[in-house]
Amino acid sequence: DVKVTQSSRYLVKRTGEKVFLECVQDMDHENMFWYRQDPGLGLRLIYFSYDVKMKEKGDIPEGYSVSREKKERFSLILESASTNQTSMYLCASSLWGTGHNQPQHFGDGTRLSIL
Amino acid sequence: TQLLEQSPQFLSIQEGENLTVYCNSSSVFSSLQWYRQEPGEGPVLLVTVVTGGEVKKLKRLTFQFGDARKDSSLHITAAQPGDTGLYLCAGSTSGTYKYIFGTGTRLKVLA
């Protein structure tokens, strides 16, 4: 069965800390995505990657960076965490090719609280 | 900026009732997907529609893509408590890796 695994279900950090969220997929997918989910706003794309070491900004990249050193792993980094980054973070992967028709497989999310 | 508006935002109904959820945009999409998300889990794909006017059925769920590929609807017949969850539509444009997600409809079906 296909699986996207996010390293933490819940995380509490302090303002100003550098925060790492890890995501691993076992489906050999080329595309990987990071979203944040907030009530009433749906899912908003932060960054995505279509190949190792390749990344592109999504709609809300400010305050975030990403790393993809291996095909199966996509990391989201909060350089200096702020309270407005408190949110649910979802990682997803999909097969190679542009989005048309490609289903995304999601992890179960990391609920991050910044105090 | 492409946007997908879903309505209603919240819906609470009794078991056995029918309901329709709408997903609307001013943009044209090459395909549109519907996902369901249950508490504590990530969204799970229900269906993908790609042709204007296309209708797909998944047991008691009927999905339709608008003729102009700007909107979609999800109709549930005889809702059951197991249908409870957050329903999300997501549009994709050919030639891009990006998906635009709707604002979500939170459905609660009471037994």
Side-chain angles (χ1 to χ4, degrees):
Chain A
D1 198 12
V2 297
K3 198 155 181 67
V4 177
T5 303
Q6 294 184 230
S7 54
S8 304
R9 293 297 299 269
Y10 301 94
L11 208 52
V12 180
K13 296 291 182 181
R14 298 212 172 269
T15 303
E17 280 193 69
K18 191 169 186 176
V19 181
F20 293 86
L21 302 183
E22 306 288 345
C23 175
V24 177
Q25 51 97 2
D26 64 0
M27 297 165 282
D28 203 34
H29 284 171
E30 288 78 12
N31 300 338
M32 295 189 75
F33 306 81
W34 274 107
Y35 295 90
R36 62 177 285 176
Q37 183 175 28
D38 300 288
L41 296 177
L43 274 69
R44 292 180 293 167
L45 182 65
I46 304 171
Y47 266 97
F48 65 100
S49 169
Y50 51 88
D51 201 352
V52 174
K53 296 190 186 294
M54 304 302 290
K55 60 185 179 184
E56 286 200 21
K57 293 179 179 179
D59 298 316
I60 52 165
E62 297 77 20
Y64 303 95
S65 62
V66 290
S67 173
R68 193 162 180 206
E69 297 297 317
K70 292 184 178 181
K71 188 177 185 180
E72 66 271 19
R73 187 180 297 271
F74 192 35
S75 304
L76 179 69
I77 304 154
L78 284 66
E79 298 291 343
S80 177
S82 63
T83 54
N84 63 12
Q85 292 178 309
T86 290
S87 186
M88 169 70 84
Y89 289 86
L90 288 164
C91 174
S93 71
S94 69
L95 279 170
W96 179 84
T98 54
H100 185 62
N101 281 351
Q102 297 293 350
Q104 293 185 92
H105 299 268
F106 284 87
D108 287 337
T110 295
R111 189 165 291 282
L112 175 64
S113 296
I114 307 296
L115 305 179
Chain B
T1 303
Q2 294 175 305
L3 290 173
L4 273 171
E5 297 285 341
Q6 285 186 241
S7 61
Q9 193 173 355
F10 299 97
L11 194 54
S12 180
I13 61 171
Q14 294 291 327
E15 182 177 4
E17 291 184 15
N18 301 334
L19 67 115
T20 302
V21 175
Y22 299 94
C23 175
N24 295 296
S25 176
S26 57
S27 302
V28 176
F29 293 101
S30 300
S31 66
L32 198 134
Q33 299 173 339
W34 284 93
Y35 292 80
R36 179 169 67 211
Q37 184 179 18
E38 299 187 19
E41 299 181 7
V44 175
L45 180 70
L46 296 173
V47 77
T48 301
V49 285
V50 299
T51 305
E54 181 177 3
V55 177
K56 279 193 174 179
K57 291 194 174 184
L58 184 66
K59 296 183 180 178
R60 294 175 293 100
L61 279 60
T62 302
F63 304 85
Q64 183 163 7
F65 202 10
D67 291 340
R69 291 183 287 131
K70 292 183 178 182
D71 55 86
S72 181
S73 63
L74 157 59
H75 182 79
I76 301 179
T77 303
Q80 298 178 0
D83 297 326
T84 292
L86 178 68
Y87 289 82
L88 294 159
C89 61
S92 175
T93 303
S94 182
T96 177
Y97 299 97
K98 290 176 62 173
Y99 301 76
I100 305 297
F101 276 82
T103 47
T105 294
R106 191 166 294 281
L107 171 65
K108 187 168 186 177
V109 182
L110 305 170

